[in-house]
Amino acid sequence: MNPGIDLQGSFIESLKSFGLPAGAAKLLWMPFPMLVILVVAVLSVFALVWLERKISAAAQQRIGPEFIGPLGILAPLADGLKLAFKEDVVPAKSDPLLFTLGPAIVVIPVFLSYLIVPFGQNMVITDVGMGIFLWIALSSVTPIGLLMSGYSSNNKYSLLGGLRAAAQSISYELPLALSVLAVVLMSNSLSTVDIVNQQTGYGILGWNIWRQPVGFLIFWIAALAECERIPFDLPEAEEELVAGYQTEYSGMKFALFYIASYVNLTLSALLFAVLYLGGWEFFVPIGTIAGFFNISETAPWLQVVAAVLGISMTLLKAYFLVFIAILMRWTVPRVRIDQLLDLGWKFLLPVSLVNLLITAGLKIAFPVAFGS
């Protein structure tokens, strides 16, 4: 399969064909990727907020939002407008610079991580050869913003929330990275596109979830902890810390934390689908379906159908995982901070390390089955 086209090159070449110089074409390209990321991420936040309310209501046998638009679909927009027009209060004894920078440092790395997510075949903004490494590096910046926000608020609950967020992120980032490295080892590449291509050709049987059953569990648990979802929402823990590091925030600064939380959940679900569920790959290879109906794989209409089906499959897999995360909020109790740290350091870290070593051994022993 084609590992992906260079969207930047195609965009620039198409503009040059209209007579624009190369420099002007590159200048016009620069804001385009970030604009696409912002639009996709904001739309995903609206969708997730609505889904969270409806799924939560169903779990508690309630109706949920109904009257703000059809089935309450405009309720997230009303929330956004409310936060946009709220007063932005800065505590008198806080550090204004760090207080302002904190939310930005939290949200920007999450948005940048979308650059490497392939939503479908030939549908990735930039196919970076070190894409997985870039994502791990960007994810390690977010705890700095959380700690900065908690410290600068001059509030004991905010400080405790910031310290918890930093400790939790450090504890779970290592097993998360090790579980991903096992997939990288089988794929012989740090590119997200190459990882998906390595799973194609055999339908559902070629997905990494079968070759990495331990790795996908570690990734999912660590991803929930990184996103601070229940049962790992210790940095916020309303019953203990009011709202944790968000306690003193209001208006758009609070909205940035809100957006970052849901955008990060969507990102984790998308990367889970890419790493373990075959990304855009359908349950049965498109080539097999085309051969069964005696259709040429090069038919233009089939290429369009395959592209739409690929994007749909990626989003379907991701939102199924989001559904599981939302459902867990109402079925799993919150763990204590000592239990959270014990799980990360004493269980997930050694298990993920052993899983990586076993994967390396199996790759040497069975290079065909575990990547060549």
Side-chain angles (χ1 to χ4, degrees):
M1 301 180 78
N2 188 352
I5 59 175
D6 183 7
L7 291 180
Q8 178 179 353
S10 301
F11 182 85
I12 292 174
E13 288 299 325
S14 63
L15 290 180
K16 286 169 66 177
S17 66
F18 287 102
L20 282 177
K26 289 181 180 179
L27 190 63
L28 288 174
W29 163 262
M30 290 176 63
F32 181 72
M34 294 312 300
L35 182 62
V36 172
I37 290 173
L38 286 172
V39 171
V40 171
V42 170
L43 289 177
S44 71
V45 169
F46 285 148
L48 258 64
V49 171
W50 181 78
L51 281 173
E52 178 116 43
R53 288 179 168 174
K54 294 301 267 186
I55 295 171
S56 302
Q60 298 176 336
Q61 296 184 344
R62 296 185 290 107
I63 296 175
E66 281 285 310
F67 302 106
I68 310 177
L71 298 177
I73 200 168
L74 296 180
L77 181 61
D79 291 338
L81 291 174
K82 178 187 69 174
L83 290 173
F85 288 103
K86 271 195 171 183
E87 182 181 1
D88 183 14
V89 179
V90 179
K93 295 185 179 181
S94 66
D95 187 315
L97 178 61
L98 298 182
F99 189 82
T100 303
L101 285 177
I105 294 176
V106 170
V107 75
I108 289 175
V110 182
F111 278 110
L112 290 176
S113 298
Y114 273 77
L115 287 169
I116 65 164
V117 177
F119 290 91
Q121 189 178 4
N122 305 333
M123 289 294 294
V124 58
I125 293 178
T126 174
D127 183 13
V128 183
M130 301 284 286
I132 294 297
F133 180 79
L134 176 63
W135 166 59
I136 293 174
L138 287 171
S139 66
S140 65
V141 176
T142 300
I144 299 174
L146 299 177
L147 185 59
M148 186 183 296
S149 301
Y151 169 77
S152 62
S153 297
N154 193 33
N155 179 295
K156 60 182 179 182
Y157 298 116
S158 298
L159 179 59
L160 284 172
L163 291 172
R164 281 186 176 186
Q168 179 170 320
S169 180
I170 292 171
S171 301
Y172 284 84
E173 197 163 320
L174 290 174
L176 181 70
L178 290 173
S179 64
V180 173
L181 285 177
V183 175
V184 169
L185 190 63
M186 293 193 306
S187 305
N188 297 320
S189 176
L190 286 163
S191 167
T192 51
V193 174
D194 290 344
I195 290 173
V196 176
N197 284 328
Q198 187 261 345
Q199 301 175 70
T200 58
Y202 300 98
I204 191 173
L205 297 177
W207 296 355
N208 283 333
I209 191 172
W210 310 117
R211 291 180 289 180
Q212 283 291 310
V214 177
F216 100 86
L217 286 173
I218 294 172
F219 183 94
W220 181 241
I221 295 172
L224 288 177
E226 289 283 317
C227 296
E228 297 171 8
R229 297 286 304 185
I230 287 179
F232 306 114
D233 65 332
L234 274 299
E236 300 172 25
E238 293 87 352
E239 296 84 354
E240 304 171 24
L241 304 179
V242 185
Y245 54 83
Q246 306 174 22
T247 301
E248 297 292 345
Y249 283 90
S250 62
M252 281 307 297
K253 290 191 181 74
F254 177 80
L256 287 178
F257 285 122
Y258 200 72
I259 291 171
S261 174
Y262 281 102
V263 171
N264 200 17
L265 177 60
T266 307
L267 174 68
S268 299
L270 285 168
L271 287 172
F272 189 100
V274 166
L275 294 172
Y276 296 99
L277 300 181
W280 63 77
E281 177 77 350
F282 192 56
F283 299 104
V284 179
I286 293 294
T288 303
I289 299 175
F292 180 80
F293 291 100
N294 196 23
I295 301 171
S296 173
E297 289 189 54
T298 59
W301 66 270
L302 183 61
Q303 297 295 319
V304 174
V305 170
V308 173
L309 186 62
I311 298 172
S312 301
M313 286 304 301
T314 303
L315 295 178
L316 179 65
K317 295 169 185 176
Y319 276 94
F320 172 74
L321 295 167
V322 169
F323 169 78
I324 298 298
I326 294 173
L327 199 61
M328 288 181 66
R329 178 177 179 178
W330 304 102
T331 54
V332 181
R334 179 187 298 129
V335 299
R336 298 195 312 265
I337 185 66
D338 61 311
Q339 294 173 330
L340 179 139
L341 295 177
D342 284 346
L343 177 64
W345 289 106
K346 296 181 179 180
F347 182 76
L348 291 184
L349 181 60
V351 170
S352 60
L353 184 58
V354 170
N355 178 65
L356 180 62
L357 294 174
I358 291 176
T359 302
L362 291 174
K363 181 179 173 64
I364 296 173
F366 307 100
V368 176
F370 287 85
S372 56

